[in-house]
Amino acid sequence: MTTSILDAHVHLWDADRHPLSWWRPALGLPRRAALGELRRVTVAAPAPIAGAIAVQAADTVQEAEWLTSSAALGSFIRAVVLQYDARADAAAWAGMAQSVIDRIDAGDLRARVAGVRLATPAGAVDLADVPRLDDLAAGLSASNRVLELLLRAEQLPAAAALAARHPGLRIVLCHLGIGGDDPGDDWRSALAAFAEQPATAAKVSGLVRSGPAETERLRAAVGHAVEVFGAGRVMFGSDWPVSARFAGYREVVERTDAALPRLTDAERREFWADTAARVYELPSRG
């Protein structure tokens, strides 16, 4: 590899300080995923790491404040994406994340909140069970922030409809809406329809798994994503430390690189760094 990497999808957490509702020992994940450990593992990458975007792993205000404070400790975390939970504040368009966003906008916190993630892979196919979804979309659009979606393939048509209702909103699909599943025909057509909305983009993240058919599955999923979005609307994300259950950081990068279709040098720079910097509107480093 000859280009630097901006990792668009990492997680930081400390389950002893801020419990994660989904964490359990059987997952094989550490109780603490610290910034220092992320810096250590990225040193092994086959190209320089220019920074990362941290996506909140829990759904509480306290953990969101901890994440933004951790991100503010240095320049490696370029931005954070907070989770959406309407139960925390039913009157706020950003739900749980609203108070942290307000403090950052007021200058009380230093970190940059570039967006909010809606994680609803277990929800209704039509997203009808997401409270105030259009208010969230409108609020993000008005504040020039990104909506991230963690969905399953069956929910992609609803995501496309949401994008059509809010054409000015940048929407980023996590894990291509497929994760470790096989790229079947239904997913292919649904992803293509989602990609027809011009303000959408997708993360090639959370896809690396183990198994004899892994190489071909990964190549098929990544190739289709590049085909329907174009190289300028797909971006790399490691999904560290969740990805470490299947492969080390260097291997995740190398297997993703091997799965890419033939790209020009400019397209490779977009995939590995420039797309994420543009979509999340990260300030340039002088």
Side-chain angles (χ1 to χ4, degrees):
M1 295 182 62
T2 59
T3 186
S4 64
I5 298 171
L6 174 58
D7 191 333
H9 199 102
V10 302
H11 298 289
L12 302 176
W13 66 65
D14 188 338
D16 292 323
R17 295 181 61 182
H18 303 287
L20 307 174
S21 60
W22 52 266
W23 194 96
R24 58 187 186 277
L27 291 173
L29 293 169
R31 291 193 61 82
R32 186 169 183 266
L35 178 58
E37 178 65 11
L38 173 62
R39 295 295 302 269
R40 187 188 69 79
V41 300
T42 56
V43 169
I49 305 296
I53 296 171
V55 180
Q56 186 181 5
D59 53 8
T60 66
V61 173
Q62 294 75 18
E63 201 260 354
E65 291 174 341
W66 171 84
L67 177 63
T68 52
S69 297
S70 299
L73 293 176
S75 61
F76 189 79
I77 300 298
R78 304 284 300 278
V80 298
V81 175
L82 301 180
Q83 296 284 8
Y84 179 65
D85 186 349
R87 297 171 300 176
D89 188 346
W93 61 260
M96 176 279 300
Q98 189 73 62
S99 63
V100 179
I101 289 175
D102 289 345
R103 289 183 62 193
I104 286 176
D105 288 348
D108 294 338
L109 294 173
R110 288 180 51 214
R112 174 178 174 81
V113 172
V116 172
R117 180 168 81 155
L118 171 63
T120 181
V125 171
D126 60 0
L127 304 181
D129 56 347
V130 179
R132 300 187 63 190
L133 176 57
D134 284 287
D135 289 342
L136 171 64
L140 289 168
S141 183
S143 65
N144 197 32
R145 289 184 167 97
V146 172
L147 172 64
E148 285 198 10
L149 298 176
L150 178 61
L151 306 172
R152 64 183 190 274
E154 293 85 352
Q155 295 168 309
L156 282 170
L162 176 67
R165 295 197 302 273
H166 299 273
L169 174 64
R170 288 164 287 146
I171 301 180
V172 176
L173 179 66
C174 297
H175 311 337
L176 297 186
I178 188 174
D181 295 337
D182 291 331
D185 291 341
D186 290 345
W187 170 79
R188 288 174 177 273
S189 59
L191 189 73
F194 178 73
E196 288 178 1
Q197 300 300 322
T200 60
K203 293 182 185 180
V204 176
S205 58
L207 273 67
V208 171
R209 295 292 189 272
S210 303
E214 170 65 13
T215 299
E216 190 55 41
R217 182 192 67 83
L218 192 59
R219 184 179 293 117
V222 175
H224 183 63
V226 174
E227 178 184 354
V228 299
F229 283 101
R233 288 195 287 145
V234 286
M235 64 192 85
F236 169 74
S238 68
D239 197 28
W240 184 89
V242 179
S243 59
R245 294 183 298 165
F246 307 102
Y249 194 92
R250 181 185 183 92
E251 185 179 353
V252 169
V253 172
E254 290 177 336
R255 288 167 68 174
T256 302
D257 191 41
L260 287 170
R262 186 181 297 275
L263 300 176
T264 66
D265 289 345
E267 288 171 335
R268 289 180 61 80
R269 289 192 296 270
E270 287 185 317
F271 175 79
W272 289 108
D274 293 353
T275 297
R278 183 179 66 255
V279 170
Y280 290 91
E281 296 195 346
L282 302 182
S284 60
R285 289 174 167 174

